[in-house]
Amino acid sequence: MAPPFRADQVGSLLRPKELLEARSSPGSSWNTRPDANAREVEKEAIADVVKQQLKRGITPITSGEYERTIFYGSFFDAMSGFKDVYVESLNHRPGLPTARQLHDMGITGKNVCIAKQKIKYERSAYLDDWLYLRSLLPPDRWKDAKMTIPSPTWNHMQMPDGQAFSAGAYSSDAEYLSDMSAAVRREILTLYDHGLRVVQIDDPMLPSFADEEFQQFSRTNGYDLDALLDRYVKAHNEVLRDLPPDLHVGLHMCRGNFPHAAKLSSSSYEAVAVTLFKKLDYQYYCLEYDSPRAGSLAPLRHLPPNKAVVLGVVSTMTGKLEDLDELKGKVHEAARVIAEGQKRIPEEALRDCLAVSPQVWQRLLFLLPFSAFCGTRKSRGAATRRRCAGCIEDGSRAAAFTNRSCLASADSRATRAARVSAWTRK
């Protein structure tokens, strides 16, 4: 099954300087809902970034997540039952890469949403955001837009079993996860009913199950990670149960890639590949493959024929541009591995099971057709992204997608893109 876009966007875009300033004004904060002035600046920034995506033929079309302060922004606030609680790192799930990195960075703890009462879906967290994004697009382009939603297991994974909720709220982890799955499912269906057709579930914690240090710690201390992963598979699949056939839902498994900050997990996907690809019911998976810490492409041999992988082969963590021949070789190698596992030819795997993306967020990326990677003449998605040198040299968050100097830099490379396209057609 071919992915909805041959060249995907998996994360947020850098916030424009004007939005950063509005969010930092008195009475407004990155940790609170924006005030009226900040909201107007936010809407203008979204309108501008959508205009630029339409102009450049980028799909999927997103808001850049400008309306959020973090990838799960406002989702849990929209439900009743949660309370934001500061939890010291030592009281997080033992051995979890997140807690490990916080400790290594000298951070003593962070806030976690704890269910103090039964979780209830009171209202949509993202409907207003989707309706605004939708208003900026012609109706025939709604299908090319994407929204992201956090995983139902996000808060649960932060805490030891039985500690993500109060004793008076739930009697078991299974009961808690069931209500979380129901809430995520209702959010997806609400957005679908208003025209959204592509949803990305963000789960930075699932790669932790493949982390060798976490696995070793759990074995040494008698923690059953396999049983926990099985519970999470059930929670995810309950979200996906009987969704409309024209709705595309993918899973993005990030490893915590933030510039100059923590990288939350390492190791190959091999230890969890069978579970992720064959037990989870997602249509496609966005996987990091832009650095050695992700391991080899060998786990892709477990991918079933009816699913797809978006290879995060373009890094935004370094200013060095990747060699196009190397990227193309990696995509073809992935096709070969998938084809061997599926007992088919690589060309079919390339056609049906692969897309590319920048692995991480936070940079303006230059555009290249998917054909530059796969060697085909036609591209289902309009383009993938390459970094803009202007943004890389300016490491601040204000080096935004809408920065005019960045756009000019991208335009100046059009000749190079034309040469790459001509080369791949030979």
Side-chain angles (χ1 to χ4, degrees):
M1 178 180 180
F5 308 104
R6 289 298 190 185
D8 211 328
Q9 299 188 70
V10 299
S12 63
L13 300 170
L14 280 171
R15 274 67 177 171
K17 181 179 179 180
E18 295 79 9
L19 179 55
L20 292 173
E21 292 175 347
R23 284 277 178 82
S24 62
S25 63
S28 183
S29 168
W30 280 98
N31 297 317
T32 62
R33 295 293 296 177
D35 60 21
N37 176 64
R39 179 60 178 163
E40 286 305 309
V41 175
E42 174 186 289
K43 293 175 75 171
E44 291 177 5
I46 292 172
D48 189 44
V49 82
V50 169
K51 180 180 178 181
Q52 296 300 327
Q53 289 172 90
L54 290 171
K55 176 182 178 181
R56 297 169 186 282
I58 295 176
T59 55
I61 303 164
T62 78
S63 65
E65 296 186 343
Y66 287 174
E67 68 278 7
R68 305 187 195 183
T69 59
I70 196 167
F71 78 93
Y72 56 82
S74 76
F75 184 72
F76 303 106
D77 294 338
M79 303 178 207
S80 64
F82 281 115
K83 183 177 180 180
D84 213 27
V85 178
Y86 178 82
V87 180
E88 292 186 356
S89 299
L90 292 175
N91 294 324
H92 287 201
R93 184 176 293 277
L96 188 67
T98 306
R100 191 172 70 222
Q101 288 290 349
L102 288 176
H103 179 270
D104 291 346
M105 295 168 66
I107 299 174
T108 59
K110 71 184 190 71
N111 284 11
V112 179
C113 288
I114 303 296
K116 295 293 186 178
Q117 299 176 344
K118 292 283 187 182
I119 300 167
K120 294 182 180 179
Y121 182 86
E122 299 284 358
R123 60 181 174 84
S124 171
Y126 301 138
L127 178 58
D128 288 345
D129 299 331
W130 162 239
L131 292 178
Y132 181 63
L133 175 59
R134 193 186 76 172
S135 74
L136 303 172
L137 303 172
D140 65 338
R141 298 301 307 276
W142 293 357
K143 68 181 186 306
D144 296 326
K146 180 172 76 172
M147 295 283 288
T148 65
I149 297 175
S151 162
T153 65
W154 168 250
N155 289 315
H156 187 273
M157 186 66 172
Q158 311 283 324
M159 301 296 293
D161 286 355
Q163 300 299 309
F165 50 86
S166 296
Y170 292 101
S171 60
S172 69
D173 294 283
E175 186 183 5
Y176 166 93
L177 289 170
S178 178
D179 278 359
M180 270 308 312
S181 295
V184 174
R185 177 180 169 80
R186 285 192 62 185
E187 180 71 8
I188 291 174
L189 290 174
T190 297
L191 298 174
Y192 174 86
D193 288 342
H194 289 82
L196 184 66
R197 292 297 179 267
V198 183
V199 172
Q200 175 181 299
I201 300 295
D202 284 327
D203 195 331
M205 288 301 179
L206 274 182
S208 298
F209 287 93
D211 184 84
E212 292 178 359
E213 190 171 342
F214 187 34
Q215 289 178 343
Q216 182 59 48
F217 179 92
S218 299
R219 285 192 295 267
T220 301
N221 292 275
Y223 300 121
D224 192 344
L225 282 188
D226 290 338
L228 181 61
L229 183 56
D230 286 342
R231 287 203 297 272
Y232 286 1
V233 167
K234 181 178 180 180
H236 277 274
N237 286 347
E238 185 59 26
V239 171
L240 303 172
R241 174 179 51 82
D242 298 327
L243 291 178
D246 61 336
L247 175 63
H248 299 278
V249 185
L251 176 67
H252 175 217
M253 292 185 286
C254 177
R255 293 175 183 249
N257 298 309
F258 293 95
H260 314 299
K263 297 180 179 180
L264 300 184
S265 65
S266 298
S267 302
S268 165
Y269 297 101
E270 184 65 40
V272 295
V274 172
T275 297
L276 295 179
F277 293 148
K278 296 189 175 182
K279 293 184 179 180
L280 277 173
D281 293 336
Y282 284 99
Q283 298 165 334
Y284 66 98
Y285 304 82
C286 301
L287 303 179
E288 171 186 323
Y289 269 113
D290 67 329
S291 69
R293 68 177 178 154
S296 75
L297 295 164
L300 299 182
R301 71 188 185 279
H302 298 295
L303 187 75
N306 62 334
K307 296 187 177 185
V309 166
V310 178
L311 293 176
V313 292
V314 178
S315 176
T316 58
M317 299 299 293
T318 173
K320 182 181 179 181
L321 292 174
E322 291 84 354
D323 181 85
L324 287 178
D325 286 336
E326 291 181 5
L327 293 181
K328 183 179 176 182
K330 185 174 286 188
V331 172
H332 278 285
E333 174 64 13
R336 185 192 64 77
V337 171
I338 292 171
E340 287 184 358
Q342 297 178 358
K343 309 301 181 186
R344 62 198 307 202
I345 60 175
E347 288 76 13
E348 292 176 343
L350 188 66
R351 179 193 66 205
D352 298 338
C353 301
L354 280 171
V356 295
S357 77
Q359 165 49 28
V360 197
W361 320 348
Q362 319 283 343
R363 292 287 187 269
L364 168 68
L365 301 169
F366 185 55
L367 310 181
L368 282 174
F370 181 70
S371 59
F373 298 95
C374 72
T376 58
R377 288 192 64 169
K378 294 184 179 179
S379 162
R380 180 171 177 177
T384 192
R385 307 179 291 169
R386 293 284 287 174
R387 292 182 305 280
C388 165
C391 282
I392 292 166
E393 292 169 2
D394 179 359
S396 71
R397 298 180 72 187
F401 182 89
T402 52
N403 186 313
R404 294 299 182 229
S405 64
C406 292
L407 295 175
S409 177
D411 288 339
S412 70
R413 290 171 152 185
T415 302
R416 180 171 182 261
R419 287 200 302 267
V420 171
S421 295
W423 166 62
T424 58
R425 289 196 296 267
K426 291 181 180 179

